[in-house]
Amino acid sequence: MNARHDEDPHEHDRGLSHDLPVLARRRMIRLMAGASLVPLVGCTSEEETSASPASSSTSSSSSSAECAEIPNETAGPYPGDGSNGVNVLKESGVVRSDITKSFGDSAGGTAQGVPLTITLTVVDAASGCGTPKKGAAVYLWHCDRDGNYSLYSEGVTEENYLRGVQETDDKGQVTFKSIFPACYSGRWPHIHFEVYGSLDDATAATSLTNTSQLALPKDVCDTVYATDGYSRSVENLSRLSLETDNIFSDGHEQQLAAVTGNSKQGYTATLTVPV
């Protein structure tokens, strides 16, 4: 399957009608969690540097009444997990922290862009988000600087960069070295991820527990997209908002990453993921 996202803005996440069951489940989760639901991560940022000092304290003070599972979202048509064609999870080399380069004999490309380190902390929602999920696994993927997805998009079907799997450590954390993704037509800048019960489950592409997406804050996106190579993202972002995006429009508090750094040295995005 070949795809260019700037030409087909709605195919990537299959449109709102495809996601209505997911949105309904998310509203039900919010009703069950109660009106006092508190975001697990926050995000404050400035033009060249941003910080979120409250994010760690918010997570540590979470109680069972304030903790809900990360909203489930569509994986889109380009997951690479075997659910839509190619399955990169069963390939040797997919377990890695640096996902900027392709791996294997047939691929040799490197994704160019502003450096982005992504750290996800997987926690047990049933325990009030206070217990890290050690030994779980996360498969993470996103588009490149041009808005293309490796394995699927025209010109990069032989590449598998910006895809990787990591096992959570004692703190429930995984960290990926990547680049800042583009904003392509019709979607807010985002990163996909799937959570599995173990590394064996992830590399066998079985026993998937959660599928969700991480949103990136607007002010950081504006700064990154003003740099070389991201010119098409500027216009695309100007037509969007988190409130109108067909994935994040019903609530993005649990999915908006806290981002620190700058466009010269790179950024770090963090998110707590209750499962």
Side-chain angles (χ1 to χ4, degrees):
M1 180 192 305
N2 292 339
R4 293 193 63 83
H5 304 296
D6 285 344
E7 297 175 2
D8 190 357
H10 301 295
E11 183 185 1
H12 167 65
D13 289 311
R14 303 179 184 175
L16 183 58
S17 61
H18 175 269
D19 295 313
L20 284 176
V22 173
L23 302 182
R25 288 196 298 270
R26 290 175 62 180
R27 284 192 290 271
M28 180 60 68
I29 289 173
R30 288 186 175 83
L31 289 173
M32 293 174 66
S36 62
L37 182 64
V38 174
L40 290 173
V41 295
C43 177
T44 57
S45 53
E46 299 174 0
E47 181 178 353
E48 278 300 308
T49 172
S50 49
S52 182
S55 60
S56 60
S57 61
T58 300
S59 298
S60 62
S61 63
S62 295
S63 68
S64 58
E66 298 171 338
C67 181
E69 282 192 19
I70 192 78
N72 280 306
E73 308 288 10
T74 175
Y78 313 123
D81 61 0
S83 62
N84 186 20
V86 65
N87 190 342
V88 74
L89 294 177
K90 294 185 177 182
E91 295 184 13
S92 176
V94 72
V95 180
R96 60 202 186 127
S97 59
D98 186 345
I99 62 174
T100 57
K101 300 178 181 180
S102 291
F103 62 90
D105 296 333
S106 62
T110 299
Q112 302 298 317
V114 172
L116 177 66
T117 299
I118 307 153
T119 296
L120 303 182
T121 302
V122 183
V123 296
D124 181 21
S127 68
C129 295
T131 304
K133 296 283 285 187
K134 176 184 176 181
V138 175
Y139 167 44
L140 182 143
W141 74 98
H142 61 82
C143 71
D144 62 19
R145 186 171 61 179
D146 296 316
N148 295 321
Y149 283 83
S150 66
L151 302 176
Y152 294 91
S153 298
E154 182 179 355
V156 292
T157 55
E158 298 302 315
E159 303 293 346
N160 52 29
Y161 54 52
L162 306 182
R163 299 176 183 273
V165 175
Q166 281 281 286
E167 182 179 29
T168 58
D169 61 16
D170 290 347
K171 297 180 180 179
Q173 292 184 340
V174 293
T175 297
F176 296 91
K177 178 184 176 183
S178 190
I179 58 101
F180 207 95
C183 175
Y184 54 81
S185 182
R187 277 305 319 276
W188 188 262
H190 62 283
I191 294 171
H192 294 268
F193 60 90
E194 295 175 341
V195 181
Y196 291 82
S198 68
L199 187 60
D200 287 343
D201 288 341
T203 54
T206 60
S207 302
L208 171 66
T209 63
N210 302 81
T211 302
S212 196
Q213 298 181 25
L214 173 156
L216 293 162
K218 183 180 186 302
D219 54 353
V220 178
C221 292
D222 286 336
T223 301
V224 172
Y225 297 158
T227 64
D228 292 342
Y230 287 95
S231 58
R232 282 189 290 180
S233 293
V234 175
E235 183 177 356
N236 291 332
L237 186 65
S238 69
R239 299 171 180 163
L240 297 167
S241 72
L242 281 164
E243 289 70 31
T244 60
D245 182 77
N246 71 340
I247 295 299
F248 301 122
S249 59
D250 68 331
H252 52 265
E253 295 85 0
Q254 284 185 272
Q255 295 160 282
L256 185 61
V259 180
T260 60
N262 58 69
S263 59
K264 293 182 179 180
Q265 296 177 321
Y267 290 93
T268 297
T270 60
L271 185 72
T272 298
V273 181
V275 298

